Amino acid sequence: LSHGVPQTIPGMTDDVNAAYEAVWQEMQRELAAQSVRGRHVIVAGSGHNIHHDRPDAVVAAIQEVVEAVRGIKRDLRGFGNL
């Protein structure tokens, strides 16, 4: 999950802040791509503290992971101690 409200560095120009935000978002996409199940979600209306700004989005993301893991375990029954 990533903030949906662009972050700014105090004292920097708008151009520098825009470039920083673009690079930061690209790095988040690259990080998510490290997993075959990775996903980069930008949470509208949230700043750095997504858990405070949009706890619903955090809860939904956690539930999605739990459901995915449960599905994997169901699919792999009979393959050892899973």
Side-chain angles (χ1 to χ4, degrees), residues 1-4 7 20-35 38-43 48 50:
L1 302 178
S2 292
H3 60 260
Q7 304 297 289
Y20 174 82
E21 181 68 17
V23 168
W24 192 88
Q25 291 291 351
E26 177 58 27
M27 289 189 309
Q28 297 305 302
R29 284 188 290 277
E30 290 173 4
L31 181 62
Q34 295 297 308
S35 170
R39 205 162 54 98
H40 179 220
V41 177
I42 297 174
V43 182
H48 178 71
I50 300 170

Side-chain angles (χ1 to χ4, degrees), residues 6-82:
Q7 304 297 289
T8 59
I9 304 168
M12 292 292 152
T13 65
D14 289 344
D15 288 344
V16 168
N17 278 317
Y20 174 82
E21 181 68 17
V23 168
W24 192 88
Q25 291 291 351
E26 177 58 27
M27 289 189 309
Q28 297 305 302
R29 284 188 290 277
E30 290 173 4
L31 181 62
Q34 295 297 308
S35 170
V36 296
R37 292 179 175 243
R39 205 162 54 98
H40 179 220
V41 177
I42 297 174
V43 182
S46 69
H48 178 71
N49 294 309
I50 300 170
H51 59 293
H52 286 291
D53 300 335
R54 292 285 313 280
D56 60 309
V58 175
V59 169
I62 293 168
Q63 287 174 329
E64 185 178 315
V65 170
V66 169
E67 289 169 8
V69 169
R70 286 180 177 160
I72 289 169
K73 284 187 174 185
R74 238 186 325 275
D75 293 343
L76 296 176
R77 252 183 251 157
F79 287 95
N81 295 327
L82 295 178

